[in-house]
Amino acid sequence: PADPYPLYHEAAIYLDNVYPLKFSRFDFRPALYAMKMHNQSIDKSCNYIPENLPFEFRVKRIVPRLRDGGTLMYFQYKEDTSAHSGGGLEKGGQNAVGIIVDRIRQHLVNVNKRKWFNFNHVRAFRVLGDPFDEDIMNRYPSSKLKVSFSGPNMTVEQLFSEFRQFGRIYDITMQPMTDKEVPRWAVVNFVHLRSATSALNCVHRHLLGSTVLCVSYVKTQREHIVYEWVRSHSKFV
């Protein structure tokens, strides 16, 4: 059968700070939220979306990212002259997705609801790449992201311009020139953990120029931390 919405495009936004972050396998808070959401409809999950968005906005599906504390919301929109006054582009050449994301951000500011688990607001970001939908048990959020380059190398300036929108960056470390490992990579270290989780969900598999950015967490050593501390401070113990 013919596509019932032949003129619709699809995009996605990432809503950060919807759930608590999962820090270990013993952290059951995200699981409790998952149980709560099991019978929850899409309409109830759209409390963060204002009504009467332009371009015939409609939510297609919602993918909870419980480990990362957020939600991926895929939507459809129709970018034509009948969807919004002034056509598909507004003042400044902003496209339809950019306008929708700005409206959602303004709505979140106006609602001004803070989450009980950290008293911070929900944030909205445009998904630029193709998020990796996985639930690997031994991967937990980290403020450090490893960015691998599938294509020409990126510079510090290019990486800063790409990742700064998610939060303040503590440092960007490029792969040493003496290291022959391929593909080439860099490490982006954020000040705040949720900046890194948002960047991971929005930038992974993003095509920047002729380079595809592959993003993953830099594993933080958590196992046997108490034992290692005791062993290193035996005289004090």
Side-chain angles (χ1 to χ4, degrees):
D3 186 351
Y5 308 114
L7 300 179
Y8 280 82
H9 307 280
E10 183 173 328
I13 59 174
Y14 178 72
L15 297 173
D16 173 48
N17 203 45
V18 177
Y19 316 106
L21 294 170
K22 184 173 183 178
F23 294 108
S24 72
R25 57 183 175 179
F26 302 109
D27 189 350
F28 298 107
R29 295 174 302 164
L32 295 176
Y33 272 90
M35 293 174 59
K36 181 179 179 181
M37 288 184 56
H38 183 68
N39 295 320
Q40 191 177 40
S41 65
I42 288 182
D43 293 336
K44 291 183 179 180
S45 300
C46 295
N47 295 331
Y48 307 109
I49 306 300
E51 297 180 356
N52 302 320
L53 282 172
F55 306 106
E56 299 185 31
F57 173 91
R58 65 180 72 199
V59 176
K60 185 176 181 181
R61 69 183 187 277
I62 291 176
V63 181
R65 306 284 280 183
L66 297 176
R67 180 193 59 191
D68 299 329
T71 293
L72 286 168
M73 182 176 291
Y74 294 87
F75 63 90
Q76 292 179 326
Y77 66 97
K78 186 177 181 181
E79 188 172 8
D80 61 6
T81 55
S82 63
H84 193 271
S85 60
L89 297 177
E90 275 197 347
K91 183 180 179 181
Q94 189 178 19
N95 61 24
V97 178
I99 295 170
I100 291 172
V101 173
D102 284 345
R103 297 280 182 89
I104 294 173
R105 287 174 176 168
Q106 187 60 48
H107 172 73
L108 293 174
V109 171
N110 295 337
V111 172
N112 195 30
K113 288 186 177 181
R114 296 178 181 269
K115 289 296 184 176
W116 63 268
F117 46 81
N118 61 7
F119 302 104
N120 289 330
H121 301 284
V122 177
R123 303 187 301 166
F125 298 100
R126 178 178 179 177
V127 175
L128 304 171
D130 183 15
F132 180 25
D133 187 12
E134 50 84 13
D135 57 354
I136 300 175
M137 293 287 293
N138 201 32
R139 290 188 179 181
Y140 300 107
S142 169
S143 60
K144 293 183 179 180
L145 297 178
K146 182 178 181 180
V147 185
S148 301
F149 311 134
S150 181
N153 293 344
M154 296 284 100
T155 65
V156 173
E157 291 81 3
Q158 289 173 312
L159 291 174
F160 178 84
S161 177
E162 183 72 11
F163 286 91
R164 179 60 179 88
Q165 59 181 303
F166 303 102
R168 294 192 62 186
I169 296 174
Y170 182 79
D171 194 14
I172 298 177
T173 305
M174 305 300 294
Q175 180 182 3
M177 296 301 298
T178 55
D179 189 348
K180 303 303 180 182
E181 179 184 352
V182 291
R184 304 292 293 178
W185 51 265
V187 173
V188 180
N189 188 3
F190 284 94
V191 174
H192 299 293
L193 187 59
R194 284 193 175 272
S195 300
T197 58
S198 299
L200 175 77
N201 283 278
C202 294
V203 180
H204 180 68
R205 302 295 301 173
H206 174 44
L207 179 62
L208 185 61
S210 55
T211 300
V212 177
L213 304 180
C214 298
V215 186
S216 60
Y217 290 125
V218 175
K219 187 175 181 179
T220 303
Q221 184 64 33
R222 299 178 183 274
E223 299 177 356
H224 311 300
I225 186 171
V226 176
Y227 171 75
E228 292 295 338
W229 186 90
V230 171
R231 191 180 67 172
S232 301
H233 301 79
S234 57
K235 290 183 179 180
F236 175 78
V237 173

